[in-house]
Amino acid sequence: MELTVGELADRSGVAASAIRYYDDLGLIFSRRTSGNQRRYHRAMLRRVAFIRASQAAGIPLSEISEVLSALGSRESPTSKMWEQASKRWVADLNRRIELLERMRDLMGSCVGCGCLSMTDCRLLNPHDELGEKGPGPHRLLDGLE
C-alpha cells in the first residue's frame, strides 16, 4: 500500500511541507503518478520517524542523510542502524552538552569575548588577556575544540 503526502504527514505527525522537503533532499523516496502526485512506500514512515528522532537529538539533516544513504529506496532503518548512528553521533552530542552546560554556568557573567565593553569584563578578563587569543567567546569555547 502506498501513501499520499497527506497520509504520510498525518501518520507520521510531520507537516506535509516537511515530507516534500525530505523527499527533495533524498532522505525519503516517492514515485510519481501519471498526474505527477507523490506516492510513498510504507517504509517511509519509519524513515520519517528516524529523521525526526535524529533531529530531536540535534543531528543536522546532512549527517542524517549520510546514514540513510546506506539504505535502498524502500528500506526502513533498523534498530541496529540506529545503534550505529548513535555511536557515530555520541561524541558530537557530548560536546554540545558540555557547551550548553558552560553556557548555563556563564549566563550571569561575561562569556569572555575579550571586548572589554562591560565593566565586569575588566574583572573577568584583566588586561584583555583573552583578546590575545583572537575573536570569539574563549571562556565558553576553550577546551571544546
Side-chain angles (χ1 to χ4, degrees):
M1 177 183 143
E2 291 183 315
L3 305 168
T4 65
V5 171
E7 290 169 334
L8 183 57
D10 287 345
R11 299 242 350 244
S12 66
V14 174
S17 58
I19 298 294
R20 287 188 287 275
Y21 182 63
Y22 296 159
D23 195 350
D24 292 343
L25 290 177
L27 297 170
I28 61 175
F29 298 95
S30 64
R31 72 166 185 87
R32 298 289 183 142
T33 66
S34 59
N36 202 31
Q37 295 177 331
R38 300 176 201 224
R39 294 292 184 264
Y40 295 92
H41 188 273
R42 291 176 46 84
M44 296 307 106
L45 280 167
R46 185 167 287 175
R47 277 181 170 243
V48 171
F50 181 89
I51 293 164
R52 297 301 288 170
S54 301
Q55 285 184 305
I59 307 302
L61 287 175
S62 59
E63 291 184 34
I64 297 168
S65 177
E66 288 175 22
V67 171
L68 289 175
S69 67
L71 294 176
S73 64
R74 290 186 171 216
E75 292 182 64
S76 296
T78 63
S79 58
K80 181 179 178 183
M81 186 176 197
W82 177 257
E83 184 180 323
Q84 290 172 339
S86 61
K87 284 180 184 174
R88 174 180 177 173
W89 297 330
V90 75
D92 183 55
L93 290 172
N94 285 336
R95 184 190 60 76
R96 280 192 264 152
I97 289 167
E98 185 178 340
L99 175 62
L100 288 170
E101 287 174 343
R102 281 186 176 187
M103 287 178 72
R104 178 200 61 212
D105 295 344
L106 293 172
M107 285 301 243
S109 65
C110 171
V111 293
C113 65
C115 69
L116 292 178
S117 62
M118 297 173 58
T119 306
D120 288 342
C121 286
R122 291 193 177 113
L123 298 173
L124 298 172
N125 183 20
H127 311 294
D128 193 21
E129 294 161 359
L130 294 173
E132 294 172 12
K133 294 183 175 186
H138 298 289
R139 288 183 57 222
L140 179 63
L141 298 177
D142 282 352
L144 291 179
E145 298 169 14

